[in-house]
Amino acid sequence: MRRAAIERLLPAAYQRAAGPGSVLGALLDVMEALHAPDEAVLADVDALFAPYRTRDGFVAYLTRWVAMDHVIAAPRADAPLPLPVGRLRDLVAHGALLARWRGTPYGMRTALELATGVSGFLLEEPADQPFHVVVRVPPAAADQLAVITRIVEAEKPAAVTAEIVTAEIVIAVPSPPSVPSPEEPS
């Protein structure tokens, strides 16, 4: 708040006493200076939550808002991000789209392409293996298997098993433990 705005909030007797060089006038100047940093933030508050305008350090926090924090799951807060900040910005910007298509081949492929910056992921559902998906990783993304595995685990439906295949490596994604139905004997 500006000094004049603060002064208008005071009773008339205090307003008269708040002239230049007075103690109350000095206090109002200090109050204005204390409000200035907060007002600067509030004047541009929409930039905090815009994925392409926020500061780099805030982008990882925004991934939590769009349920993509599994991509950056790091054991320590000071650990480096597994993706360039630009790719994280893309994930946050497409968060609503990814949420809408979560659990579908399109959603998983889109999340993988945004996170890795590589297109050409193939998702296959073998006819002889129901509730199973094979994710074929393009060679250009083979060095990002840790991130790819986290995305596949989070984006696939819970009852589906998955394996990640590159030209040289096959990774089986563990499926959740099965819970016997009431009709099945234990």
Side-chain angles (χ1 to χ4, degrees), residues 49-92:
F49 308 106
Y52 295 111
R53 292 176 47 210
T54 193
R55 57 187 169 80
D56 288 352
F58 202 65
V59 177
Y61 176 76
L62 290 179
T63 60
R64 295 182 199 155
W65 283 30
V66 295
M68 291 304 293
D69 52 323
H70 56 276
V71 174
I72 60 165
R76 300 183 336 259
D78 61 342
L81 295 174
L83 298 175
V85 174
R87 289 201 200 125
L88 287 178
R89 289 179 190 280
D90 290 341
L91 283 170
V92 172

Side-chain angles (χ1 to χ4, degrees), residues 14-78:
Y14 286 105
Q15 290 179 21
R16 288 189 299 274
S22 69
V23 172
L24 187 54
L27 285 173
L28 291 175
D29 291 338
V30 168
M31 288 175 74
E32 179 181 1
L34 289 173
H35 284 118
D38 295 335
E39 288 187 0
V41 169
L42 290 174
D44 203 24
V45 74
D46 59 321
L48 284 174
F49 308 106
Y52 295 111
R53 292 176 47 210
T54 193
R55 57 187 169 80
D56 288 352
F58 202 65
V59 177
Y61 176 76
L62 290 179
T63 60
R64 295 182 199 155
W65 283 30
V66 295
M68 291 304 293
D69 52 323
H70 56 276
V71 174
I72 60 165
R76 300 183 336 259
D78 61 342

Side-chain angles (χ1 to χ4, degrees), residues 69-177:
D69 52 323
H70 56 276
V71 174
I72 60 165
R76 300 183 336 259
D78 61 342
L81 295 174
L83 298 175
V85 174
R87 289 201 200 125
L88 287 178
R89 289 179 190 280
D90 290 341
L91 283 170
V92 172
H94 292 87
L97 173 85
L98 295 173
R100 186 177 323 129
W101 291 99
R102 179 161 281 152
T104 67
Y106 173 78
M108 185 183 300
R109 189 173 28 262
T110 303
L112 289 168
E113 290 175 353
L114 287 169
T116 62
V118 176
S119 60
F121 285 87
L122 296 175
L123 278 68
E124 301 168 353
E125 298 177 41
D128 61 333
Q129 288 181 293
F131 303 106
H132 184 76
V133 66
V134 177
V135 179
R136 298 205 180 274
V137 178
D143 61 336
Q144 301 180 57
L145 286 178
V147 170
I148 292 168
T149 302
R150 284 198 302 271
I151 291 172
V152 170
E153 287 175 354
E155 298 295 318
K156 71 176 182 61
V160 172
T161 58
E163 65 183 287
I164 300 167
V165 179
T166 65
E168 306 157 0
I169 304 170
V170 175
I171 300 174
V173 177
S175 60

